[in-house]
């Protein structure tokens, strides 16, 4: 179900949306705004996933058998 909501765009933001419509990327300003909101949502989800991964990594502690030279050597087997 669609929900109608009016949003006030600052002149610079409105100009961006209008330019994207004029360039043919979107049919209208509403479509451009929806795409922008989807991108913001996707970025927020990616950042939250990254932060969780970092929290999990920090909570796991330091690996005692970590050998950076072996990792580098394994990533360049032809050298």
């Amino acid at each position: 179900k669609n929900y109608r909501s009016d949003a006030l765009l600052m002149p610079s933001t409105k100009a961006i949306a209008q330019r994207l419509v004029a360039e043919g990327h979107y049919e209208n300003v509403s479509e451009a705004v929806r795409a922008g909101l989807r991108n913001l949502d996707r970025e927020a989800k990616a950042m939250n996933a990254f932060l969780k991964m970092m929290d999990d990594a920090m909570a796991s502690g330091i690996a005692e058998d970590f050998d950076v030279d072996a990792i580098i050597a394994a990533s360049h087997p032809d050298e």
Side-chain angles (χ1 to χ4, degrees), residues 35-52:
L37 289 171
R38 284 190 301 271
N39 284 334
L40 286 172
D41 185 50
R42 192 170 28 252
E43 287 178 14
K45 287 177 181 175
M47 179 58 74
N48 288 336
F50 173 76
L51 292 173
K52 182 183 181 327

Side-chain angles (χ1 to χ4, degrees), residues 32-77:
V33 169
R34 286 191 301 273
L37 289 171
R38 284 190 301 271
N39 284 334
L40 286 172
D41 185 50
R42 192 170 28 252
E43 287 178 14
K45 287 177 181 175
M47 179 58 74
N48 288 336
F50 173 76
L51 292 173
K52 182 183 181 327
M53 181 185 67
M54 294 302 293
D55 285 343
D56 292 347
M58 294 298 290
S60 71
I62 298 173
E64 297 297 326
D65 61 345
F66 183 77
D67 183 353
V68 70
D69 293 324
I71 293 170
I72 293 170
S75 68
H76 297 86

